[in-house]
Amino acid sequence: AFRRGIGVINEKSNAVIVSDFYSIMGDILIKKGLKQEAYAALDSCLKWKSDNIECLNNYAYYLSEENRQLDKAAEMSYRTIKADPKNPTYLDTYAWVLFRQERYAEAKLYIDQALANDTSEIKSGVVLEHAGDIYAKNLDLDKAVSFWKQAEEAGGGSALLPKTIQMRKWIEE
């Protein structure tokens, strides 16, 4: 349906709607494992609306998960926290991009902000695991293990989490 929708987009189309359309399409393609097509859709999204904050955040996160184009990911992610500096999701993404760039001290500052600004009762297992990983790279292993255990209890995180806790160190997937 999304691919058919592309055929009706023209220069008179509403830029915000087209941008959101491509953003959603990119997210779906990522979930289907079609990364090259997903990145093309996300690029199209940003051509229509270069400040689509949700797209910038997701795109930056996808790149960071692949550990590629990290400078591009950092620039996109930084724009999201400038637009919404208290958004815990955007702060987590930026922290994770910094982590991937091996900028661990900076990553810790942003993951702390993400946790402080997260007002939900149930914390995200992914964010808690990121916090553990970042604290481990900052050589605070007790705090890292605490975050990893919280991530495990929250039901989130990677399949390597039990082994990470047992070994008390970050294990790259």
Side-chain angles (χ1 to χ4, degrees):
F2 278 95
R3 289 187 177 121
R4 285 192 310 270
I6 291 171
V8 299
I9 295 171
N10 60 51
E11 66 278 351
K12 293 181 183 177
S13 297
N14 181 307
V16 173
I17 293 171
V18 173
S19 178
D20 287 344
F21 177 88
Y22 276 116
S23 180
I24 293 165
M25 186 174 163
D27 292 342
I28 291 168
L29 290 166
I30 282 287
K31 287 182 175 106
K32 291 180 147 277
L34 303 170
K35 292 177 183 174
Q36 189 172 358
E37 290 179 50
Y39 293 142
L42 296 171
D43 285 333
S44 293
C45 166
L46 295 173
K47 283 180 186 155
W48 281 90
K49 189 172 184 294
S50 63
D51 64 345
N52 185 320
I53 300 304
E54 194 170 307
C55 176
L56 287 166
N57 180 73
N58 292 348
Y59 199 167
Y61 188 73
Y62 299 146
L63 290 173
S64 72
E65 283 294 282
E66 288 188 55
N67 209 21
R68 58 178 265 202
Q69 296 184 5
L70 295 175
D71 289 340
K72 177 180 180 176
E75 184 272 327
M76 289 190 295
S77 184
Y78 187 73
R79 289 174 58 197
T80 68
I81 61 170
K82 280 302 204 193
D84 191 354
K86 294 192 180 287
N87 184 307
T89 300
Y90 300 163
L91 290 162
D92 170 62
T93 296
Y94 192 57
W96 192 242
V97 171
L98 293 171
F99 174 86
R100 291 295 200 169
Q101 290 181 313
E102 299 179 3
R103 295 164 60 186
Y104 304 125
E106 290 173 86
K108 184 177 174 294
L109 293 172
Y110 286 94
I111 200 66
D112 286 345
Q113 289 179 47
L115 293 166
N117 284 290
D118 185 354
T119 58
S120 58
E121 270 187 48
I122 301 173
K123 304 293 185 213
S124 162
V126 172
V127 174
L128 291 166
E129 184 172 6
H130 287 169
D133 297 346
I134 291 166
Y135 270 80
K137 288 295 186 173
N138 279 284
L139 305 178
D140 188 342
L141 294 179
D142 291 335
K143 190 84 167 178
V145 171
S146 172
F147 280 124
W148 290 329
K149 286 180 178 178
Q150 290 175 59
E152 193 173 48
E153 289 169 14
S158 71
L160 291 174
L161 198 50
K163 187 174 182 180
T164 300
I165 293 168
Q166 180 185 14
M167 295 181 70
R168 294 179 54 89
K169 72 175 194 172
W170 179 66
I171 302 170
E172 187 168 13
E173 290 185 46

